[in-house]
Amino acid sequence: MSWQVRTLLVVPCLLLLAPGCGRSAPNTERGRGDTLDQLEPFGLAAVLTSAFGASASGSVELAFEACDAAGKGIPFALLELNWEEGGRTAFQTDESGTIRMLFHASALPGDATVWVRILPIGHSFIAVERDDAWRPLTAGRVRISVLPGH
Amino acid sequence: MPGHARDRGAEDEPLDLTDDLYHRIKAGLFQPTREPLVLRLTRAGEDGREVPARGEYAMFSRDEGSFGVRSDDHGAIVVHMDMEAALSHLSVNTPRDRGLVREFHEDPRHPIR
């Protein structure tokens, strides 16, 4: 299934998250303020469609915060994007567990499944390959905040 | 060489990571499945010395489109890739007129953690 088709199927679920719509999709929750909490791996294209739908700007900035079960930010977590066309990239969060990304409506990057991976504190890239050491986030969430674009 | 930084590309010129990394990967000097690529954005400070460019965006472009990633308080963007991504001609650019320099830090011990 192409990402465009999948986006069309997922967007109505995300629109239910708009204020006043009353209920959330089972793997999402409303966070604090204008945030959206993802409890499971999620599609980037659907999040972008929702974010651009609520913005008059041609670009949006998304802050992704990796949180543990208690809602506390996880320092130096890795936000992994598993691209539909192939390949995986992961970007390290800062000390607060947050990484910010910018998207332009005129050049969206295609779809990816997004989730968080964790490397043990003190992991040595010399001693152990990353793929043998990192683990997906469990019992946590990714909190997404939509910020005004540039 | 641990800790050594390589400056790459003119300010407004997209840098193709695959072109830059291919021979280093083939030579075993960079192993995408084992270690991250650490990009640090800097600019000239008042005294002419380079200082970290915090909160600046680097744009990553793929065939399908692009996205930006914001540098942390150390001016760093740490990206992990699998081999497919490392060979996918992902390119990195910085906005014009920001005076940013891209440095790639070669340190398998990872200077962030």
Side-chain angles (χ1 to χ4, degrees):
Chain A
M1 184 184 300
S2 70
W3 72 268
Q4 294 94 336
V5 172
R6 199 162 59 190
T7 298
L8 288 173
L9 294 174
V10 172
V11 164
C13 296
L14 286 176
L15 291 177
L16 292 173
L17 297 170
C21 288
R23 59 190 286 265
S24 299
N27 63 337
T28 60
E29 289 180 358
R30 292 289 298 176
R32 303 167 304 205
D34 293 326
T35 64
L36 174 68
D37 286 1
Q38 296 283 358
L39 309 180
E40 297 176 352
F42 57 94
L44 176 65
V47 170
L48 290 175
T49 299
S50 178
F52 278 108
S55 171
S57 174
S59 62
V60 294
E61 185 179 15
L62 300 181
F64 298 92
E65 182 184 7
C67 301
D68 61 18
K72 185 178 177 185
I74 304 171
F76 308 122
L78 303 171
L79 187 78
E80 183 187 45
L81 297 96
N82 195 340
W83 296 99
E84 187 173 62
E85 297 82 7
R88 289 178 296 148
T89 54
F91 295 91
Q92 181 177 278
T93 69
D94 61 14
E95 289 88 341
S96 72
T98 301
I99 187 159
R100 292 188 181 191
M101 300 181 71
L102 178 67
F103 299 90
H104 296 292
S106 60
L108 294 177
D111 202 7
T113 301
V114 183
W115 196 235
V116 168
R117 287 186 178 268
I118 308 292
L119 279 168
I121 296 297
H123 170 76
S124 167
F125 289 102
I126 297 175
V128 183
E129 291 209 13
R130 175 195 61 225
D131 286 2
D132 293 335
W134 67 0
R135 298 286 179 265
L137 174 66
T138 55
R141 63 188 59 205
V142 177
R143 178 163 293 146
I144 305 171
S145 303
V146 182
L147 309 168
H150 290 202
Chain B
M1 178 188 301
H4 177 64
R6 297 173 296 129
D7 296 354
R8 282 290 185 268
E11 181 181 336
D12 297 334
E13 171 190 331
L15 173 68
D16 186 318
L17 291 181
T18 301
D19 289 349
D20 193 55
L21 294 173
Y22 181 78
H23 293 291
R24 299 181 53 73
I25 292 172
K26 284 292 185 187
L29 298 173
F30 177 70
Q31 301 178 58
T33 60
R34 183 180 289 272
E35 62 192 287
L37 183 69
V38 180
L39 164 64
R40 185 159 284 140
L41 302 179
T42 64
R43 62 162 52 97
E46 291 181 359
D47 59 358
R49 297 169 62 180
E50 289 186 343
V51 296
R54 304 178 178 90
E56 293 283 354
Y57 270 100
M59 297 303 297
F60 292 77
S61 298
R62 314 165 63 237
D63 286 344
E64 296 79 10
S66 64
F67 57 91
V69 179
R70 193 171 188 254
S71 62
D72 65 16
D73 285 347
H74 309 285
I77 296 170
V78 181
V79 54
H80 294 253
M81 298 176 281
D82 64 2
M83 188 62 79
E84 185 173 358
L87 299 177
S88 68
H89 292 282
L90 188 67
S91 68
V92 183
N93 203 359
T94 50
R96 294 175 182 232
D97 305 323
R98 303 292 291 175
L100 299 173
V101 174
R102 291 161 292 187
E103 295 181 359
F104 291 90
H105 285 252
E106 300 174 10
D107 187 349
R109 290 171 300 183
H110 193 343
I112 304 302
R113 293 180 67 111

